[in-house]
Amino acid sequence: MKQLLTILFICFLAESLTAQEQPTIQPTIMVIPFAKEGNSTRKAYEYSELNRIAITKVKEAFDQRGVNTIDFRAKLKQLQNAEALTEDQEMTLKDEVIKMSGADIYVEIEANKDRTNTGNSVTCILTAYDAFSGESLANKVSSSPKFNTENFEKLTQKAIEAEVDNLLNTIQEKFNDMVENGRTITMEVGIEIGTDFNLDTEVDDSGYYLSELIEEWVAENAHKHYFHIQGQSETKMIFDIIKVPLKDDMGRNYRISTFAADFRRHFREKGIKADRTITGSAITVTLSSL
C-alpha cells in the first residue's frame, strides 16, 4: 500500500512540475532617438544632448529591470566604421541599425525641454515598435515635475521613471502575444500581364483553381494556420493578415524571405514562376509561366 501511495505521489509531483508555467521569454530592446521627417537618426542622436541623455536614461532603466538591451551608440559606430555615410545613406540609417542590431523591439524616444516662469521640466515621448514589422506596440508620454533648475539630465530621469514600468509592462504583454500567436505579414499575389492563366485557372489534375491552391498553401504554412484574405479577383489576391512565427526552428528571428522563398519553390514545382519583392513585412508576388 505504501509503495502504491509513493508511486501516486511521484506521478502527481511530475504532473505538477510539467504544468508549471514556463519562464517568460523577454524581448531584446534597443532605444533610439526619434528623427523628424527630413532628418537622419544619426543627426538626431549626435546633435541633441537631450536625446542622448534620454536614450541613456531609458536604457539604464531597462537594464536595472533585467531587460536585454542593445546599445544604439555602439551599433551606430559599428555601422559608421563599416561604410562611409552619404546624405542618402543617412536617411536609411535607422533601418540599417535596427537590422544589424538583431533587436526584437526598438523604442523611439523624443525628449523636449519645457521652460516656464513657474519652473522647467522635460517631456518624453516613448514609442515601442516591433522591429520585424514596424507595428506600434506601445506609446507613452511623460513629463517631469517642474523645478527651478537647469539640470535637465535629472528632469529627464524623472520623466522616464514615471512611465518606464508601464511601458515595459505593455511591451512584454504585446511580445508575449507575438510569441504565442506570431507576427503579422501581408502578401499580395498578382498575375503578370500577358500570362496565359489567371487565378481562376486549374493548373494541375487536382481540379482546384490556382487561387484555391494558394489559399491552401498559405493556410498550411501560416503560424497556427491563421490568415485572412482582404480581397480576391481573377488577377489578384490580397492577404492582409498572415501570421508567421517569432523564431525559426533554429531559434533565430524568423525571416519574411523564408516564407516568400518557400512559396516560390512550391509553385515552381507546378510550372509557375513567382517573382517576389519584399518591403518591410509586405510581400508582393507576381505569377507567370516558367
Side-chain angles (χ1 to χ4, degrees):
M1 184 66 178
K2 288 183 178 179
Q3 188 176 13
L4 177 61
L5 289 174
T6 301
I7 294 172
L8 290 173
F9 175 75
I10 293 173
C11 291
F12 172 77
L13 182 61
E15 185 176 347
S16 298
L17 290 173
T18 303
Q20 282 183 356
E21 203 173 292
Q22 295 298 315
T24 301
I25 300 174
Q26 283 194 339
T28 300
I29 301 176
M30 182 170 62
V31 186
I32 70 173
F34 169 78
K36 296 180 180 179
E37 187 175 353
N39 292 334
S40 73
T41 306
R42 179 173 69 91
K43 290 179 179 178
Y45 178 79
E46 293 180 350
Y47 297 172
S48 172
E49 181 184 7
L50 197 61
N51 275 346
R52 293 196 300 274
I53 292 172
I55 289 172
T56 300
K57 294 303 179 183
V58 174
K59 186 178 183 302
E60 286 177 354
F62 286 173
D63 289 339
Q64 289 170 2
R65 288 158 178 78
V67 177
N68 301 318
T69 61
I70 294 173
D71 188 85
F72 169 75
R73 180 177 59 179
K75 289 300 176 183
L76 178 63
K77 185 176 181 180
Q78 183 180 344
L79 187 61
Q80 288 174 318
N81 290 340
E83 56 182 286
L85 293 173
T86 66
E87 288 299 315
D88 290 338
Q89 288 172 325
E90 285 181 9
M91 299 304 294
T92 61
L93 182 61
K94 169 184 165 182
D95 293 334
E96 292 298 321
V97 172
I98 292 171
K99 180 180 178 181
M100 78 179 302
S101 72
D104 297 306
I105 291 168
Y106 67 93
V107 175
E108 277 189 336
I109 180 165
E110 179 181 4
N112 296 296
K113 298 177 181 179
D114 299 320
R115 296 179 182 272
T116 67
N117 294 330
T118 57
N120 297 332
S121 65
V122 169
T123 297
C124 293
I125 303 172
L126 303 101
T127 307
Y129 296 91
D130 176 20
F132 179 86
S133 65
E135 179 183 0
S136 178
L137 302 178
N139 184 280
K140 304 294 179 183
V141 179
S142 181
S143 297
S144 70
K146 291 183 179 181
F147 291 98
N148 291 315
T149 179
E150 290 293 318
N151 189 345
F152 286 99
E153 179 175 351
K154 192 66 174 179
L155 294 175
T156 302
Q157 182 175 342
K158 287 186 175 294
I160 297 302
E161 289 174 347
E163 281 295 339
V164 70
D165 285 332
N166 291 332
L167 179 72
L168 274 175
N169 289 339
T170 304
I171 289 174
Q172 188 66 61
E173 181 182 335
K174 294 293 183 68
F175 187 75
N176 290 346
D177 180 72
M178 287 193 292
V179 171
E180 177 67 22
N181 299 310
R183 284 166 158 155
T184 299
I185 67 171
T186 64
M187 185 167 73
E188 181 176 312
V189 181
I191 303 295
E192 186 176 88
I193 296 175
T195 302
D196 59 357
F197 62 82
N198 60 41
L199 294 173
D200 288 343
T201 300
E202 295 181 12
V203 295
D204 58 22
D205 296 332
S206 66
Y208 287 100
Y209 289 156
L210 175 57
S211 61
E212 294 168 338
L213 293 176
I214 292 172
E215 182 176 342
E216 183 180 70
W217 186 90
V218 171
E220 182 64 28
N221 288 272
H223 183 63
K224 292 190 174 182
H225 313 295
Y226 187 87
F227 70 97
H228 180 263
I229 299 177
Q230 178 181 331
Q232 179 180 329
S233 67
E234 288 185 350
T235 58
K236 185 169 293 188
M237 292 181 74
I238 300 175
F239 295 86
D240 58 340
I241 299 175
I242 299 175
K243 290 294 184 179
V244 295
L246 193 73
K247 304 289 183 179
D248 62 18
D249 294 337
M250 301 293 291
R252 300 169 300 194
N253 286 339
Y254 184 84
R255 295 167 55 189
I256 189 172
S257 58
T258 300
F259 190 89
D262 290 344
F263 181 93
R264 178 181 59 79
R265 287 193 291 266
H266 176 80
F267 284 95
R268 183 179 180 84
E269 294 176 358
K270 297 183 179 297
I272 296 174
K273 181 181 179 183
D275 292 324
R276 88 288 183 276
T277 301
I278 300 172
T279 306
S281 60
I283 305 172
T284 301
V285 178
T286 303
L287 303 179
S288 60
S289 301
L290 283 174

Short mmCIF file of all heavy atoms in Angstrom, two decimals, residues 141-198:
data_model
loop_
_atom_site.label_atom_id
_atom_site.label_comp_id
_atom_site.label_asym_id
_atom_site.label_seq_id
_atom_site.Cartn_x
_atom_site.Cartn_y
_atom_site.Cartn_z
N VAL A 141 3.59 59.02 -22.96
CA VAL A 141 4.04 60.40 -22.86
C VAL A 141 4.18 60.73 -21.39
O VAL A 141 3.25 60.50 -20.61
CB VAL A 141 3.07 61.39 -23.53
CG1 VAL A 141 3.58 62.82 -23.40
CG2 VAL A 141 2.87 61.03 -25.00
N SER A 142 5.33 61.24 -21.00
CA SER A 142 5.57 61.51 -19.58
C SER A 142 6.32 62.82 -19.42
O SER A 142 7.27 63.10 -20.16
CB SER A 142 6.38 60.37 -18.96
OG SER A 142 6.61 60.61 -17.60
N SER A 143 5.90 63.61 -18.45
CA SER A 143 6.56 64.88 -18.13
C SER A 143 7.06 64.85 -16.70
O SER A 143 6.39 64.32 -15.80
CB SER A 143 5.61 66.05 -18.33
OG SER A 143 5.21 66.17 -19.68
N SER A 144 8.21 65.43 -16.50
CA SER A 144 8.74 65.54 -15.14
C SER A 144 8.02 66.67 -14.40
O SER A 144 7.40 67.54 -15.03
CB SER A 144 10.23 65.85 -15.20
OG SER A 144 10.44 67.18 -15.67
N PRO A 145 8.06 66.66 -13.08
CA PRO A 145 7.55 67.83 -12.33
C PRO A 145 8.37 69.06 -12.69
O PRO A 145 9.50 68.96 -13.16
CB PRO A 145 7.76 67.42 -10.86
CG PRO A 145 7.91 65.94 -10.88
CD PRO A 145 8.54 65.59 -12.19
N LYS A 146 7.83 70.23 -12.45
CA LYS A 146 8.54 71.48 -12.73
C LYS A 146 9.42 71.86 -11.55
O LYS A 146 9.00 71.83 -10.39
CB LYS A 146 7.54 72.60 -13.02
CG LYS A 146 6.78 72.43 -14.32
CD LYS A 146 5.86 73.60 -14.58
CE LYS A 146 5.12 73.43 -15.91
NZ LYS A 146 4.23 74.58 -16.18
N PHE A 147 10.66 72.22 -11.88
CA PHE A 147 11.60 72.66 -10.86
C PHE A 147 12.35 73.88 -11.38
O PHE A 147 12.54 74.04 -12.60
CB PHE A 147 12.62 71.57 -10.53
CG PHE A 147 12.04 70.39 -9.81
CD1 PHE A 147 11.69 69.23 -10.50
CD2 PHE A 147 11.86 70.42 -8.44
CE1 PHE A 147 11.17 68.14 -9.85
CE2 PHE A 147 11.33 69.33 -7.77
CZ PHE A 147 10.98 68.19 -8.47
N ASN A 148 12.78 74.73 -10.47
CA ASN A 148 13.63 75.86 -10.84
C ASN A 148 15.07 75.38 -10.93
O ASN A 148 15.88 75.59 -10.01
CB ASN A 148 13.50 76.99 -9.81
CG ASN A 148 12.14 77.65 -9.86
OD1 ASN A 148 11.63 77.95 -10.93
ND2 ASN A 148 11.53 77.88 -8.70
N THR A 149 15.37 74.69 -12.00
CA THR A 149 16.69 74.10 -12.18
C THR A 149 17.03 74.03 -13.66
O THR A 149 16.13 74.01 -14.52
CB THR A 149 16.74 72.68 -11.58
OG1 THR A 149 18.05 72.13 -11.79
CG2 THR A 149 15.72 71.78 -12.25
N GLU A 150 18.33 74.02 -13.94
CA GLU A 150 18.82 73.81 -15.30
C GLU A 150 19.37 72.40 -15.46
O GLU A 150 19.97 72.08 -16.49
CB GLU A 150 19.92 74.83 -15.62
CG GLU A 150 19.42 76.26 -15.76
CD GLU A 150 18.53 76.45 -16.98
OE1 GLU A 150 18.86 75.90 -18.05
OE2 GLU A 150 17.51 77.15 -16.86
N ASN A 151 19.16 71.56 -14.46
CA ASN A 151 19.64 70.18 -14.52
C ASN A 151 18.64 69.33 -15.30
O ASN A 151 17.83 68.60 -14.73
CB ASN A 151 19.82 69.63 -13.10
CG ASN A 151 20.52 68.27 -13.09
OD1 ASN A 151 20.62 67.60 -14.13
ND2 ASN A 151 21.00 67.86 -11.94
N PHE A 152 18.71 69.45 -16.63
CA PHE A 152 17.75 68.73 -17.48
C PHE A 152 18.01 67.22 -17.50
O PHE A 152 17.12 66.45 -17.84
CB PHE A 152 17.77 69.31 -18.89
CG PHE A 152 17.08 70.65 -18.98
CD1 PHE A 152 17.82 71.82 -18.97
CD2 PHE A 152 15.70 70.73 -19.04
CE1 PHE A 152 17.19 73.05 -19.03
CE2 PHE A 152 15.06 71.95 -19.11
CZ PHE A 152 15.80 73.13 -19.10
N GLU A 153 19.23 66.83 -17.15
CA GLU A 153 19.51 65.40 -17.04
C GLU A 153 18.65 64.77 -15.95
O GLU A 153 18.05 63.71 -16.14
CB GLU A 153 20.99 65.17 -16.75
CG GLU A 153 21.36 63.70 -16.62
CD GLU A 153 22.84 63.49 -16.44
OE1 GLU A 153 23.60 64.45 -16.59
OE2 GLU A 153 23.23 62.34 -16.15
N LYS A 154 18.59 65.45 -14.79
CA LYS A 154 17.77 64.95 -13.69
C LYS A 154 16.28 64.99 -14.03
O LYS A 154 15.52 64.07 -13.70
CB LYS A 154 18.03 65.79 -12.44
CG LYS A 154 17.45 65.19 -11.15
CD LYS A 154 18.14 63.89 -10.78
CE LYS A 154 17.64 63.38 -9.43
NZ LYS A 154 18.27 62.10 -9.07
N LEU A 155 15.86 66.05 -14.71
CA LEU A 155 14.46 66.16 -15.11
C LEU A 155 14.09 65.05 -16.09
O LEU A 155 12.98 64.49 -16.02
CB LEU A 155 14.20 67.53 -15.73
CG LEU A 155 14.33 68.75 -14.81
CD1 LEU A 155 14.15 70.03 -15.59
CD2 LEU A 155 13.32 68.67 -13.67
N THR A 156 15.00 64.73 -17.01
CA THR A 156 14.76 63.64 -17.96
C THR A 156 14.61 62.32 -17.23
O THR A 156 13.72 61.51 -17.54
CB THR A 156 15.92 63.55 -18.97
OG1 THR A 156 16.04 64.80 -19.67
CG2 THR A 156 15.68 62.43 -19.98
N GLN A 157 15.47 62.09 -16.26
CA GLN A 157 15.40 60.86 -15.48
C GLN A 157 14.05 60.73 -14.77
O GLN A 157 13.45 59.65 -14.75
CB GLN A 157 16.52 60.81 -14.46
CG GLN A 157 16.55 59.53 -13.63
CD GLN A 157 17.75 59.47 -12.71
OE1 GLN A 157 18.73 60.18 -12.89
NE2 GLN A 157 17.68 58.60 -11.72
N LYS A 158 13.55 61.82 -14.21
CA LYS A 158 12.26 61.80 -13.50
C LYS A 158 11.11 61.51 -14.47
O LYS A 158 10.17 60.79 -14.14
CB LYS A 158 12.03 63.11 -12.77
CG LYS A 158 12.89 63.29 -11.53
CD LYS A 158 12.52 64.53 -10.76
CE LYS A 158 13.31 64.60 -9.45
NZ LYS A 158 12.95 63.51 -8.51
N ALA A 159 11.20 62.08 -15.67
CA ALA A 159 10.16 61.84 -16.68
C ALA A 159 10.15 60.36 -17.09
O ALA A 159 9.09 59.75 -17.25
CB ALA A 159 10.37 62.74 -17.89
N ILE A 160 11.35 59.80 -17.27
CA ILE A 160 11.47 58.39 -17.66
C ILE A 160 10.93 57.48 -16.56
O ILE A 160 10.15 56.55 -16.81
CB ILE A 160 12.93 58.03 -17.98
CG1 ILE A 160 13.45 58.83 -19.17
CG2 ILE A 160 13.06 56.53 -18.25
CD1 ILE A 160 12.68 58.68 -20.44
N GLU A 161 11.34 57.74 -15.32
CA GLU A 161 10.95 56.89 -14.20
C GLU A 161 9.44 56.84 -14.01
O GLU A 161 8.89 55.84 -13.54
CB GLU A 161 11.62 57.37 -12.91
CG GLU A 161 13.12 57.10 -12.88
CD GLU A 161 13.79 57.70 -11.66
OE1 GLU A 161 13.14 58.54 -10.98
OE2 GLU A 161 14.96 57.35 -11.40
N ALA A 162 8.75 57.92 -14.40
CA ALA A 162 7.30 57.99 -14.18
C ALA A 162 6.53 56.99 -15.05
O ALA A 162 5.43 56.57 -14.69
CB ALA A 162 6.80 59.41 -14.44
N GLU A 163 7.10 56.62 -16.20
CA GLU A 163 6.33 55.77 -17.14
C GLU A 163 7.05 54.51 -17.59
O GLU A 163 6.47 53.70 -18.30
CB GLU A 163 5.96 56.58 -18.39
CG GLU A 163 4.76 57.50 -18.22
CD GLU A 163 3.46 56.75 -17.97
OE1 GLU A 163 3.38 55.55 -18.30
OE2 GLU A 163 2.52 57.36 -17.45
N VAL A 164 8.31 54.32 -17.20
CA VAL A 164 9.07 53.20 -17.77
C VAL A 164 8.47 51.85 -17.40
O VAL A 164 8.46 50.92 -18.22
CB VAL A 164 10.56 53.29 -17.34
CG1 VAL A 164 10.73 53.00 -15.85
CG2 VAL A 164 11.41 52.34 -18.19
N ASP A 165 7.93 51.71 -16.20
CA ASP A 165 7.32 50.43 -15.81
C ASP A 165 6.07 50.13 -16.64
O ASP A 165 5.87 48.99 -17.09
CB ASP A 165 6.97 50.43 -14.32
CG ASP A 165 8.20 50.26 -13.44
OD1 ASP A 165 9.17 49.64 -13.90
OD2 ASP A 165 8.19 50.78 -12.31
N ASN A 166 5.24 51.15 -16.84
CA ASN A 166 4.04 50.97 -17.67
C ASN A 166 4.41 50.61 -19.10
O ASN A 166 3.77 49.75 -19.73
CB ASN A 166 3.19 52.24 -17.65
CG ASN A 166 2.55 52.49 -16.31
OD1 ASN A 166 2.28 51.57 -15.55
ND2 ASN A 166 2.29 53.76 -16.00
N LEU A 167 5.46 51.26 -19.61
CA LEU A 167 5.92 50.97 -20.97
C LEU A 167 6.39 49.52 -21.08
O LEU A 167 6.00 48.80 -22.00
CB LEU A 167 7.04 51.93 -21.36
CG LEU A 167 7.65 51.72 -22.76
CD1 LEU A 167 6.66 52.16 -23.84
CD2 LEU A 167 8.97 52.48 -22.91
N LEU A 168 7.21 49.10 -20.13
CA LEU A 168 7.73 47.74 -20.16
C LEU A 168 6.64 46.70 -20.02
O LEU A 168 6.67 45.66 -20.69
CB LEU A 168 8.76 47.56 -19.05
CG LEU A 168 10.20 47.97 -19.39
CD1 LEU A 168 11.09 47.84 -18.16
CD2 LEU A 168 10.76 47.14 -20.53
N ASN A 169 5.68 46.97 -19.16
CA ASN A 169 4.58 46.02 -18.98
C ASN A 169 3.79 45.85 -20.27
O ASN A 169 3.40 44.73 -20.65
CB ASN A 169 3.65 46.49 -17.87
CG ASN A 169 4.27 46.37 -16.49
OD1 ASN A 169 5.22 45.60 -16.30
ND2 ASN A 169 3.78 47.12 -15.53
N THR A 170 3.54 46.96 -20.98
CA THR A 170 2.80 46.90 -22.25
C THR A 170 3.62 46.17 -23.31
O THR A 170 3.09 45.33 -24.06
CB THR A 170 2.45 48.31 -22.74
OG1 THR A 170 1.71 49.00 -21.73
CG2 THR A 170 1.61 48.24 -24.01
N ILE A 171 4.92 46.47 -23.38
CA ILE A 171 5.80 45.80 -24.34
C ILE A 171 5.81 44.29 -24.09
O ILE A 171 5.68 43.50 -25.03
CB ILE A 171 7.23 46.36 -24.25
CG1 ILE A 171 7.29 47.78 -24.82
CG2 ILE A 171 8.21 45.46 -25.01
CD1 ILE A 171 8.64 48.45 -24.64
N GLN A 172 5.96 43.90 -22.83
CA GLN A 172 6.03 42.47 -22.51
C GLN A 172 4.72 41.77 -22.86
O GLN A 172 4.71 40.65 -23.39
CB GLN A 172 6.34 42.28 -21.03
CG GLN A 172 6.61 40.82 -20.64
CD GLN A 172 7.87 40.27 -21.28
OE1 GLN A 172 8.96 40.79 -21.05
NE2 GLN A 172 7.74 39.22 -22.09
N GLU A 173 3.60 42.44 -22.59
CA GLU A 173 2.29 41.87 -22.91
C GLU A 173 2.15 41.65 -24.41
O GLU A 173 1.71 40.58 -24.86
CB GLU A 173 1.19 42.80 -22.41
CG GLU A 173 -0.22 42.30 -22.66
CD GLU A 173 -1.28 43.29 -22.19
OE1 GLU A 173 -0.98 44.09 -21.29
OE2 GLU A 173 -2.40 43.25 -22.73
N LYS A 174 2.54 42.64 -25.21
CA LYS A 174 2.44 42.51 -26.67
C LYS A 174 3.43 41.47 -27.19
O LYS A 174 3.12 40.72 -28.12
CB LYS A 174 2.70 43.88 -27.33
CG LYS A 174 1.67 44.94 -27.02
CD LYS A 174 0.34 44.59 -27.65
CE LYS A 174 -0.70 45.68 -27.41
NZ LYS A 174 -0.41 46.94 -28.11
N PHE A 175 4.62 41.43 -26.58
CA PHE A 175 5.63 40.46 -27.02
C PHE A 175 5.18 39.03 -26.71
O PHE A 175 5.36 38.12 -27.51
CB PHE A 175 6.97 40.76 -26.36
CG PHE A 175 8.10 39.91 -26.89
CD1 PHE A 175 8.65 40.17 -28.13
CD2 PHE A 175 8.62 38.86 -26.14
CE1 PHE A 175 9.70 39.40 -28.63
CE2 PHE A 175 9.65 38.08 -26.63
CZ PHE A 175 10.19 38.35 -27.87
N ASN A 176 4.57 38.85 -25.53
CA ASN A 176 4.05 37.53 -25.17
C ASN A 176 3.01 37.06 -26.19
O ASN A 176 2.95 35.88 -26.55
CB ASN A 176 3.43 37.56 -23.78
CG ASN A 176 4.46 37.72 -22.68
OD1 ASN A 176 5.66 37.54 -22.92
ND2 ASN A 176 4.02 38.06 -21.49
N ASP A 177 2.19 38.00 -26.65
CA ASP A 177 1.18 37.67 -27.65
C ASP A 177 1.84 37.25 -28.97
O ASP A 177 1.37 36.32 -29.63
CB ASP A 177 0.24 38.86 -27.87
CG ASP A 177 -0.84 38.57 -28.90
OD1 ASP A 177 -1.76 37.80 -28.58
OD2 ASP A 177 -0.75 39.08 -30.04
N MET A 178 2.94 37.92 -29.34
CA MET A 178 3.65 37.56 -30.56
C MET A 178 4.30 36.18 -30.44
O MET A 178 4.32 35.40 -31.39
CB MET A 178 4.71 38.61 -30.90
CG MET A 178 4.15 39.92 -31.43
SD MET A 178 5.41 40.98 -32.17
CE MET A 178 6.36 41.44 -30.74
N VAL A 179 4.84 35.87 -29.25
CA VAL A 179 5.43 34.56 -29.03
C VAL A 179 4.38 33.48 -29.21
O VAL A 179 4.62 32.43 -29.83
CB VAL A 179 6.05 34.47 -27.62
CG1 VAL A 179 6.46 33.04 -27.30
CG2 VAL A 179 7.27 35.40 -27.51
N GLU A 180 3.19 33.73 -28.68
CA GLU A 180 2.12 32.73 -28.73
C GLU A 180 1.45 32.67 -30.10
O GLU A 180 1.22 31.59 -30.65
CB GLU A 180 1.07 33.07 -27.66
CG GLU A 180 -0.14 32.15 -27.66
CD GLU A 180 0.17 30.74 -27.25
OE1 GLU A 180 1.20 30.52 -26.57
OE2 GLU A 180 -0.60 29.83 -27.61
N ASN A 181 1.14 33.83 -30.67
CA ASN A 181 0.30 33.87 -31.87
C ASN A 181 1.01 34.33 -33.14
O ASN A 181 0.40 34.36 -34.20
CB ASN A 181 -0.91 34.79 -31.62
CG ASN A 181 -1.77 34.30 -30.47
OD1 ASN A 181 -2.15 33.14 -30.44
ND2 ASN A 181 -2.05 35.17 -29.52
N GLY A 182 2.29 34.66 -33.04
CA GLY A 182 3.06 35.02 -34.23
C GLY A 182 2.97 36.49 -34.57
O GLY A 182 2.22 37.26 -33.97
N ARG A 183 3.78 36.86 -35.55
CA ARG A 183 3.78 38.23 -36.08
C ARG A 183 2.96 38.28 -37.36
O ARG A 183 2.73 37.26 -38.01
CB ARG A 183 5.21 38.68 -36.38
CG ARG A 183 6.02 39.04 -35.15
CD ARG A 183 7.48 39.15 -35.47
NE ARG A 183 8.18 39.98 -34.50
CZ ARG A 183 9.48 39.88 -34.24
NH1 ARG A 183 10.21 38.99 -34.88
NH2 ARG A 183 10.05 40.66 -33.35
N THR A 184 2.57 39.49 -37.74
CA THR A 184 1.73 39.66 -38.93
C THR A 184 2.55 40.14 -40.12
O THR A 184 3.32 41.10 -40.02
CB THR A 184 0.61 40.68 -38.65
OG1 THR A 184 -0.20 40.22 -37.58
CG2 THR A 184 -0.25 40.89 -39.89
N ILE A 185 2.39 39.46 -41.24
CA ILE A 185 2.91 39.93 -42.51
C ILE A 185 1.74 40.03 -43.49
O ILE A 185 0.64 39.53 -43.21
CB ILE A 185 4.00 39.00 -43.09
CG1 ILE A 185 3.39 37.65 -43.49
CG2 ILE A 185 5.14 38.83 -42.10
CD1 ILE A 185 4.36 36.76 -44.28
N THR A 186 1.96 40.69 -44.61
CA THR A 186 0.95 40.77 -45.66
C THR A 186 1.53 40.23 -46.96
O THR A 186 2.76 40.22 -47.15
CB THR A 186 0.47 42.22 -45.88
OG1 THR A 186 1.58 43.02 -46.35
CG2 THR A 186 -0.07 42.82 -44.59
N MET A 187 0.66 39.77 -47.83
CA MET A 187 1.12 39.28 -49.13
C MET A 187 0.08 39.58 -50.20
O MET A 187 -1.11 39.31 -50.03
CB MET A 187 1.39 37.77 -49.08
CG MET A 187 1.97 37.22 -50.40
SD MET A 187 2.64 35.53 -50.26
CE MET A 187 1.12 34.60 -50.14
N GLU A 188 0.54 40.16 -51.29
CA GLU A 188 -0.32 40.44 -52.45
C GLU A 188 0.17 39.60 -53.62
O GLU A 188 1.35 39.67 -53.99
CB GLU A 188 -0.27 41.92 -52.80
CG GLU A 188 -1.16 42.30 -53.97
CD GLU A 188 -1.17 43.80 -54.25
OE1 GLU A 188 -1.35 44.56 -53.29
OE2 GLU A 188 -0.99 44.19 -55.43
N VAL A 189 -0.70 38.80 -54.17
CA VAL A 189 -0.35 37.91 -55.28
C VAL A 189 -1.07 38.39 -56.53
O VAL A 189 -2.30 38.54 -56.53
CB VAL A 189 -0.75 36.45 -54.97
CG1 VAL A 189 -0.35 35.54 -56.13
CG2 VAL A 189 -0.12 35.98 -53.67
N GLY A 190 -0.31 38.65 -57.60
CA GLY A 190 -0.90 39.11 -58.86
C GLY A 190 -0.41 38.30 -60.04
O GLY A 190 0.53 37.51 -59.92
N ILE A 191 -1.06 38.50 -61.18
CA ILE A 191 -0.71 37.80 -62.41
C ILE A 191 -0.02 38.77 -63.37
O ILE A 191 -0.51 39.89 -63.59
CB ILE A 191 -1.96 37.21 -63.10
CG1 ILE A 191 -2.71 36.28 -62.15
CG2 ILE A 191 -1.58 36.48 -64.38
CD1 ILE A 191 -1.95 35.04 -61.75
N GLU A 192 1.10 38.38 -63.92
CA GLU A 192 1.82 39.23 -64.87
C GLU A 192 0.99 39.41 -66.15
O GLU A 192 0.35 38.46 -66.64
CB GLU A 192 3.16 38.59 -65.21
CG GLU A 192 4.05 39.48 -66.09
CD GLU A 192 5.41 38.85 -66.32
OE1 GLU A 192 5.53 38.07 -67.29
OE2 GLU A 192 6.33 39.12 -65.53
N ILE A 193 0.98 40.61 -66.68
CA ILE A 193 0.23 40.91 -67.90
C ILE A 193 0.73 40.02 -69.06
O ILE A 193 1.93 39.87 -69.26
CB ILE A 193 0.39 42.40 -68.28
CG1 ILE A 193 -0.23 43.28 -67.20
CG2 ILE A 193 -0.26 42.68 -69.64
CD1 ILE A 193 -0.01 44.76 -67.43
N GLY A 194 -0.19 39.44 -69.80
CA GLY A 194 0.17 38.58 -70.93
C GLY A 194 0.32 37.12 -70.58
O GLY A 194 0.53 36.28 -71.47
N THR A 195 0.20 36.78 -69.30
CA THR A 195 0.31 35.38 -68.88
C THR A 195 -0.94 34.61 -69.33
O THR A 195 -2.05 35.14 -69.30
CB THR A 195 0.46 35.29 -67.35
OG1 THR A 195 1.63 36.03 -66.96
CG2 THR A 195 0.61 33.86 -66.90
N ASP A 196 -0.75 33.35 -69.72
CA ASP A 196 -1.86 32.57 -70.29
C ASP A 196 -2.70 31.85 -69.23
O ASP A 196 -3.39 30.89 -69.54
CB ASP A 196 -1.32 31.56 -71.31
CG ASP A 196 -0.32 30.60 -70.69
OD1 ASP A 196 -0.01 30.75 -69.49
OD2 ASP A 196 0.16 29.70 -71.41
N PHE A 197 -2.65 32.30 -67.99
CA PHE A 197 -3.53 31.75 -66.96
C PHE A 197 -3.87 32.86 -65.97
O PHE A 197 -3.25 33.93 -65.97
CB PHE A 197 -2.88 30.57 -66.22
CG PHE A 197 -1.62 30.92 -65.47
CD1 PHE A 197 -1.67 31.50 -64.20
CD2 PHE A 197 -0.37 30.67 -66.02
CE1 PHE A 197 -0.53 31.84 -63.51
CE2 PHE A 197 0.79 31.01 -65.32
CZ PHE A 197 0.71 31.59 -64.07
N ASN A 198 -4.89 32.61 -65.15
CA ASN A 198 -5.21 33.56 -64.08
C ASN A 198 -5.51 32.77 -62.80
O ASN A 198 -5.30 31.56 -62.76
CB ASN A 198 -6.38 34.48 -64.47
CG ASN A 198 -7.65 33.71 -64.79
OD1 ASN A 198 -7.99 32.74 -64.11
ND2 ASN A 198 -8.36 34.13 -65.84
#
